[in-house]
Amino acid sequence: MGEDGYFKPQMRKVPTGELMQPSRKTNGYGVQAEDTRICVVMVGLPARGKSLIAQKVVRYLGWLSIPAKTFNVGQYRRSNTPTPTAEFFDTSNAEGERLRRAAAEAAVDDMIRWFAAGSGTIAILDATNSTKDRRRWIQERCDAEGIETLFVESKCDDEDLIMSNILEVKTTSPDYKGQDPEKAAQDFRNRIKNYEKVYETIDEDESHMTYVKLINVGKQVIINRIQDYLQSRVVYYLMNLHIKPRSIWLSRHGESNFNLSGQIGGDADISDRGEAYARRLPELVKQSAGDRELTTARFLEYEKLEWKALDELDSGVCDGLTYAEIAEQYPEDFKQRDDDKYNYRYLGGESYRDVVIRLEPIIMELERSENILIVTHQAILRCIYAYFMNVPQERSPWMEVPLHTLIKLTPKAYSTIEERLKADIPAVSTFREKGSLAKHQ
Amino acid sequence: MGEDGYFKPQMRKVPTGELMQPSRKTNGYGVQAEDTRICVVMVGLPARGKSLIAQKVVRYLGWLSIPAKTFNVGQYRRSNTPTPTAEFFDTSNAEGERLRRAAAEAAVDDMIRWFAAGSGTIAILDATNSTKDRRRWIQERCDAEGIETLFVESKCDDEDLIMSNILEVKTTSPDYKGQDPEKAAQDFRNRIKNYEKVYETIDEDESHMTYVKLINVGKQVIINRIQDYLQSRVVYYLMNLHIKPRSIWLSRHGESNFNLSGQIGGDADISDRGEAYARRLPELVKQSAGDRELTTARFLEYEKLEWKALDELDSGVCDGLTYAEIAEQYPEDFKQRDDDKYNYRYLGGESYRDVVIRLEPIIMELERSENILIVTHQAILRCIYAYFMNVPQERSPWMEVPLHTLIKLTPKAYSTIEERLKADIPAVSTFREKGSLAKHQ
């Protein structure tokens, strides 16, 4: 009885027998049942941002150490039909229908195997899943395996949004590789028309299902029968998404006196050069902003907020020490941190994992926000950067985030564009390679 | 530039001039604009749980140190019409209409004054607000003051739910004080009928508004145009509510060897008596459970989870010390903690305020759950208990939560019933009064 636990007397669907996952402590970010396994089933016409949403959810969950994976039916279909024309998607095309069904089955089979292997928590089935029949079939397959389903329908009647999705697809989809973009766009429009013929939105007939309908991403959300904590977290994330174009600017504080002396910790005065950088920063942001951003954003009339959750990683007893002093006074800790920097928690302080947990609301706010500049500390920037750029946990704590440098991230449908602007103001390096003690490498 | 901050170039509605609130750092629980002021406008027929929802939201926000207050139009109306009959609510009754309108105006005026006084963040306007006209009027009043609106409509077609609300009202509403319960219920039904004649649900005409529709609390939720972080937090809380009857059992761990020696901290072995309590606990829960709970919950087939977020308050450098040792080694800290126990953060550790922040997801899960038993540490139980029993921050860290005692909380519409069962197994007291050093007072 030495542990925190609770008895939850209500009954839940649990998979019977051999598929039980190993017990898993939650990481403090939240609460979830040990055996929760969810299949997020995307629903919607082509060009409604389904793959974009799927990819964002997987990245978000991965950042939170929740094992998630996308199963894209289109990829399975391409193994038999690499470059289909719109006719392939005509429901009166029996052979096309058979091949598309086979692709869906292959994806679901793989997903079930992935869950059975024991390490997965959330799978995303990325396909149109546009008929009630198809959704019923998925629901039944998941029920049989004790996998919860969460249907996520993306509806969109905003022509601009759809067009920008079509443009994105014609230039990026492997289905149109090497083809004339104009022809590709036209064919893709025809493909959408074929889907429209059979498309059935989720309605009252399916009110027994757990689902979310996203209408014009970010405008209206309908949520039905959310069952448990993890589902509600995913839904909360989906609620906060928008797809307006914007950029996120990241910068460390100007150089501090601790930076100069090689001490770690977050609460030191700024150096003269750091002060100069702080004064230069608005100009740098202006330089890096495109015309459109400048015109619409009116950079000089910014609103400024302070977030406690952006405090530097708490180095506990090591606060104010140099790396050399840490290596001398806490040699074992120093080594442990090098061995697993993401999980190492400073004595009386925090780990990168802890920081990610407290940054989660910030990420949610960043998803909600439009153009935004964040000025904060090295470890915090690493975690935020890792979220947007999908940097794995082994690497994120070791990334170089130099002083006096502005980073501009611009999320696009399937990637994030990064630009770096170095201010013309010298600063020390605070980067430390694994195994080194280096003050100013 | 020594602080964490960001520039947010997009424009927001801000109140002009003298009404600006004092700058307020967020408490780490999340992020919110300094000047956010939201009027949550309840919408719905009588007996749809509006006041219950309003009261829960206020309690939740208060627990998170977000200043919130309910303005109940019924209370204003009672100042001119203390015990109205159903006829008063007939829209063809011009005098009734005038008085009800006056009550709404008085409530809105008071709300605006409350915001203007500078300390409020979220006001809840608790009334039926059942016509589009009325809602437009509220929206305009708020717009004029730079107050955001969030309409929350509670719809319910579940007759059992409505009836249980009617039964609750007839026994608790001041409108029917001292009256025959059967007559009261009948009159209340007639009142509802009068509202039904004019009731207009929120629909497409109001799609420019920020709103949430709760359908049969917890079953379906429709969310429209959520604008900012704080709104999205309130909506997330609303999403997680349900009103099925249930109880929450709370217990500390069995007595530990640290408890015996008077040391603080969360990670010690359990004593023999503590072990005996752990073995007795399931029996205690059974004893305290009603027949219905026993039948439906099947207590012996519980599911058990572990939550990292339930770890004891981190006492940092004081972990493992007795209070006498703390007073000797950290005399200033000892005094500071006595002066403001809620906000005092142990060196390298946590404050009660920090604990509340990390418990927030737990509260969300508790709102979602049905019958549940939580076994955890003293400070953590104090915070959870404070949430359910609405204990103010000055008092919550000083509450007695004795060892070897099971607490059962049963949320009702307007209160939470508390029962305590002492196990017949002795344990030391770990309670310390302000100013005392007492090992085992």
Side-chain angles (χ1 to χ4, degrees):
Chain A
M1 206 67 210
E3 303 149 320
D4 304 307
Y6 80 134
F7 302 82
K8 198 174 181 181
Q10 81 265 34
M11 295 293 100
R12 295 165 38 89
K13 279 178 302 182
V14 284
T16 44
E18 68 283 9
L19 295 189
M20 291 292 290
Q21 281 189 258
S23 164
R24 183 171 55 228
K25 267 213 182 195
T26 56
N27 61 8
Y29 129 78
V31 281
Q32 74 187 69
E34 287 173 15
D35 57 352
T36 302
R37 301 181 308 167
I38 303 173
C39 174
V40 173
V41 187
M42 302 306 300
V43 174
L45 290 169
R48 263 63 180 181
K50 294 185 302 301
S51 297
L52 170 60
I53 294 166
Q55 170 232 346
K56 288 195 75 141
V57 170
V58 167
R59 179 157 58 82
Y60 168 70
L61 293 170
W63 186 73
L64 287 166
S65 304
I66 297 171
K69 187 174 163 160
T70 299
F71 296 84
N72 180 303
V73 173
Q75 275 169 24
Y76 287 82
R77 188 258 304 143
R78 272 187 285 279
S79 73
N80 59 46
T81 319
T83 53
T85 58
E87 288 72 49
F88 178 81
F89 299 92
D90 190 328
T91 43
S92 63
N93 177 345
E95 178 62 4
E97 190 72 359
R98 192 186 66 76
L99 288 168
R100 288 189 296 128
R101 171 77 185 217
E105 280 176 1
V108 170
D109 287 347
D110 266 9
M111 176 188 75
I112 288 171
R113 271 192 291 271
W114 179 71
F115 276 128
S119 54
T121 298
I122 298 192
I124 306 199
L125 192 63
D126 183 12
T128 54
N129 298 313
S130 50
T131 65
K132 294 186 183 194
D133 248 12
R134 173 60 54 93
R135 297 194 287 268
R136 191 180 315 115
W137 171 74
I138 295 168
Q139 171 96 60
E140 284 167 5
R141 295 269 341 237
C142 288
D143 282 354
E145 305 290 334
I147 299 165
E148 299 171 9
T149 47
L150 167 60
F151 292 85
V152 176
E153 180 171 3
S154 178
K155 292 194 77 167
C156 188
D157 55 19
D158 179 329
E159 281 302 323
D160 290 348
L161 264 181
I162 297 170
M163 268 317 292
S164 85
N165 266 323
I166 290 177
L167 290 173
E168 185 80 27
V169 167
K170 80 173 183 189
T171 51
T172 61
S173 168
D175 283 354
Y176 296 109
K177 211 172 165 179
Q179 295 189 24
D180 172 58
E182 277 319 302
K183 271 197 190 149
Q186 189 48 51
D187 184 85
F188 192 60
R189 274 192 212 96
N190 289 336
R191 186 196 292 192
I192 295 174
K193 278 192 197 120
N194 277 325
Y195 273 105
E196 277 168 349
K197 286 184 212 157
V198 294
Y199 181 58
E200 297 166 304
T201 188
I202 297 177
D203 64 16
E204 307 78 53
D205 301 349
E206 291 168 288
S207 65
H208 57 285
M209 298 185 337
T210 296
Y211 68 78
V212 187
K213 288 171 91 146
L214 304 170
I215 295 150
N216 292 331
V217 189
K219 203 172 137 202
Q220 193 178 69
V221 183
I222 299 172
I223 299 165
N224 195 65
R225 290 193 180 275
I226 295 303
Q227 297 173 65
D228 59 32
Y229 180 79
L230 199 49
Q231 286 183 359
S232 92
R233 290 305 308 184
V234 172
V235 169
Y236 184 57
Y237 181 72
L238 293 171
M239 268 169 60
N240 284 305
L241 296 183
H242 74 77
I243 45 182
K244 294 175 214 139
R246 51 81 179 258
S247 294
I248 295 138
W249 285 263
L250 305 175
S251 171
R252 293 178 60 182
H253 291 300
E255 183 187 68
S256 77
N257 291 327
F258 266 27
N259 295 154
L260 284 171
S261 56
Q263 290 167 277
I264 69 168
D267 227 10
D269 283 340
I270 206 163
S271 73
D272 290 345
R273 300 191 297 196
E275 185 65 35
Y277 176 72
R279 276 196 301 267
R280 180 77 56 83
L281 191 53
E283 178 108 0
L284 268 188
V285 175
K286 243 196 277 184
Q287 265 180 40
S288 75
D291 278 352
R292 189 188 48 73
E293 286 151 355
L294 266 188
T295 321
T296 60
R298 285 185 276 169
F299 255 97
L300 301 175
E301 302 173 40
Y302 58 80
E303 183 194 17
K304 186 162 172 278
L305 295 182
E306 289 171 22
W307 290 340
K308 182 90 183 77
L310 288 175
D311 278 358
E312 178 57 314
L313 186 147
D314 181 355
S315 42
V317 295
C318 295
D319 190 79
L321 301 184
T322 65
Y323 286 118
E325 287 166 342
I326 297 173
E328 195 196 307
Q329 296 174 35
Y330 304 95
E332 228 165 277
D333 282 82
F334 192 75
K335 188 180 170 316
Q336 274 175 28
R337 188 157 200 262
D338 263 11
D339 289 348
D340 187 356
K341 196 172 176 187
Y342 188 82
N343 289 299
Y344 172 78
R345 179 182 273 167
Y346 275 113
L347 219 60
E350 290 180 303
S351 65
Y352 272 85
R353 181 179 294 280
D354 293 327
V355 168
V356 159
I357 292 162
R358 75 164 143 95
L359 283 180
E360 202 261 0
I362 299 283
I363 291 300
M364 216 58 95
E365 178 64 12
L366 292 182
E367 283 299 342
R368 295 197 62 78
S369 71
E370 303 189 21
N371 287 325
I372 189 166
L373 162 63
I374 298 181
V375 181
T376 182
H377 309 271
Q378 178 168 250
I380 308 305
L381 277 192
R382 281 179 176 143
C383 294
I384 295 173
Y385 182 95
Y387 168 76
F388 283 104
M389 302 304 282
N390 211 5
V391 183
Q393 292 171 1
E394 317 80 78
R395 254 187 38 228
S396 58
W398 295 103
M399 285 186 300
E400 256 192 283
V401 185
L403 282 165
H404 298 188
T405 305
L406 179 66
I407 301 175
K408 178 186 179 188
L409 302 179
T410 308
K412 296 284 176 187
Y414 296 99
S415 59
T416 300
I417 295 171
E418 174 176 355
E419 297 158 76
R420 291 197 179 205
L421 267 92
K422 255 193 116 42
D424 189 18
I425 298 168
V428 296
S429 164
T430 59
F431 181 67
R432 181 182 76 83
E433 261 172 46
K434 199 181 269 209
S436 103
L437 295 177
K439 176 179 154 188
H440 313 158
Q441 300 197 308
Chain B
M1 206 65 208
E3 301 148 321
D4 304 309
Y6 79 135
F7 303 81
K8 198 173 181 184
Q10 81 265 33
M11 294 294 101
R12 294 165 39 89
K13 280 178 300 185
V14 284
T16 44
E18 68 285 8
L19 294 189
M20 290 294 289
Q21 281 189 255
S23 166
R24 183 171 55 229
K25 266 212 181 194
T26 57
N27 61 10
Y29 131 79
V31 281
Q32 76 187 68
E34 286 173 18
D35 57 351
T36 302
R37 301 181 306 169
I38 304 173
C39 174
V40 174
V41 187
M42 301 305 301
V43 174
L45 290 170
R48 263 61 180 181
K50 296 186 302 299
S51 297
L52 170 61
I53 293 166
Q55 170 232 347
K56 289 195 74 140
V57 170
V58 167
R59 179 157 57 84
Y60 168 71
L61 294 169
W63 185 73
L64 287 167
S65 304
I66 297 170
K69 188 175 164 156
T70 300
F71 296 83
N72 181 303
V73 173
Q75 276 169 22
Y76 287 83
R77 188 257 305 143
R78 273 187 283 279
S79 73
N80 58 46
T81 319
T83 52
T85 58
E87 287 70 49
F88 177 82
F89 298 94
D90 190 330
T91 43
S92 63
N93 176 344
E95 178 61 4
E97 189 72 359
R98 193 187 64 76
L99 289 167
R100 290 190 294 129
R101 171 76 185 215
E105 280 175 2
V108 169
D109 287 348
D110 265 9
M111 176 188 77
I112 288 171
R113 271 192 291 272
W114 179 72
F115 276 128
S119 55
T121 299
I122 299 192
I124 306 199
L125 193 62
D126 184 12
T128 53
N129 298 313
S130 49
T131 64
K132 294 185 184 193
D133 248 12
R134 174 63 53 94
R135 296 194 287 268
R136 191 181 315 115
W137 172 74
I138 295 168
Q139 171 97 58
E140 284 166 6
R141 295 268 340 237
C142 288
D143 282 355
E145 304 291 334
I147 298 165
E148 299 172 10
T149 47
L150 167 60
F151 292 85
V152 176
E153 180 172 4
S154 178
K155 293 194 77 167
C156 188
D157 54 20
D158 179 330
E159 281 301 325
D160 290 348
L161 264 179
I162 297 169
M163 268 316 294
S164 85
N165 265 324
I166 291 177
L167 289 173
E168 184 80 27
V169 167
K170 80 173 181 188
T171 52
T172 60
S173 168
D175 283 355
Y176 296 109
K177 213 174 163 178
Q179 297 190 24
D180 172 59
E182 278 319 300
K183 272 197 190 148
Q186 188 48 52
D187 184 86
F188 193 59
R189 275 191 211 97
N190 290 336
R191 185 195 294 193
I192 295 174
K193 278 193 198 117
N194 277 325
Y195 272 106
E196 278 168 349
K197 287 182 213 157
V198 294
Y199 182 58
E200 297 167 303
T201 189
I202 297 176
D203 64 17
E204 308 77 53
D205 301 349
E206 292 169 287
S207 65
H208 57 285
M209 298 185 337
T210 296
Y211 67 79
V212 188
K213 289 171 91 144
L214 305 171
I215 295 151
N216 292 330
V217 188
K219 203 171 136 200
Q220 194 177 71
V221 183
I222 299 171
I223 299 165
N224 196 63
R225 290 193 181 276
I226 295 303
Q227 296 172 66
D228 58 33
Y229 181 78
L230 200 49
Q231 287 184 357
S232 91
R233 290 305 307 184
V234 172
V235 169
Y236 184 55
Y237 181 72
L238 293 171
M239 267 170 60
N240 283 307
L241 296 184
H242 74 77
I243 45 181
K244 293 175 214 141
R246 51 80 179 256
S247 294
I248 295 138
W249 284 263
L250 304 174
S251 171
R252 293 177 61 183
H253 291 301
E255 182 189 68
S256 76
N257 291 328
F258 266 27
N259 294 154
L260 284 170
S261 55
Q263 290 167 277
I264 68 167
D267 227 10
D269 284 338
I270 206 162
S271 74
D272 291 345
R273 300 191 298 196
E275 184 66 35
Y277 176 73
R279 276 196 302 265
R280 180 77 54 84
L281 190 53
E283 178 110 358
L284 269 187
V285 175
K286 246 197 275 185
Q287 266 180 39
S288 76
D291 278 352
R292 190 186 49 69
E293 284 153 356
L294 265 188
T295 322
T296 60
R298 286 186 276 171
F299 255 97
L300 301 175
E301 303 173 38
Y302 58 81
E303 182 194 17
K304 185 162 173 281
L305 295 183
E306 288 170 23
W307 290 340
K308 182 90 184 75
L310 288 175
D311 280 359
E312 179 56 314
L313 187 147
D314 182 354
S315 41
V317 295
C318 295
D319 191 79
L321 301 184
T322 65
Y323 286 117
E325 287 166 341
I326 298 173
E328 194 195 308
Q329 296 174 36
Y330 304 95
E332 228 164 276
D333 282 81
F334 191 74
K335 189 178 169 320
Q336 275 176 27
R337 188 156 198 261
D338 263 9
D339 289 347
D340 186 356
K341 196 172 174 186
Y342 188 83
N343 289 299
Y344 172 77
R345 179 182 276 168
Y346 274 113
L347 218 60
E350 291 179 302
S351 64
Y352 272 85
R353 180 179 293 279
D354 293 328
V355 168
V356 158
I357 292 160
R358 76 164 141 95
L359 283 179
E360 202 260 1
I362 298 281
I363 291 300
M364 217 56 97
E365 178 63 13
L366 292 182
E367 283 299 342
R368 294 196 62 78
S369 71
E370 303 189 21
N371 287 324
I372 189 166
L373 162 62
I374 299 182
V375 181
T376 183
H377 308 271
Q378 178 167 251
I380 308 304
L381 277 193
R382 281 180 176 143
C383 294
I384 295 173
Y385 181 95
Y387 168 76
F388 283 103
M389 302 303 284
N390 213 5
V391 182
Q393 292 172 2
E394 318 78 81
R395 255 188 36 228
S396 59
W398 295 103
M399 285 188 298
E400 255 192 286
V401 185
L403 282 165
H404 299 187
T405 304
L406 180 66
I407 301 174
K408 179 185 178 187
L409 302 179
T410 308
K412 297 282 174 188
Y414 296 99
S415 59
T416 299
I417 296 171
E418 173 177 355
E419 297 158 74
R420 291 198 180 205
L421 268 91
K422 254 193 115 45
D424 188 18
I425 298 167
V428 296
S429 163
T430 60
F431 180 67
R432 181 182 76 83
E433 261 170 45
K434 200 181 271 210
S436 104
L437 295 175
K439 178 181 154 186
H440 313 160
Q441 300 196 305

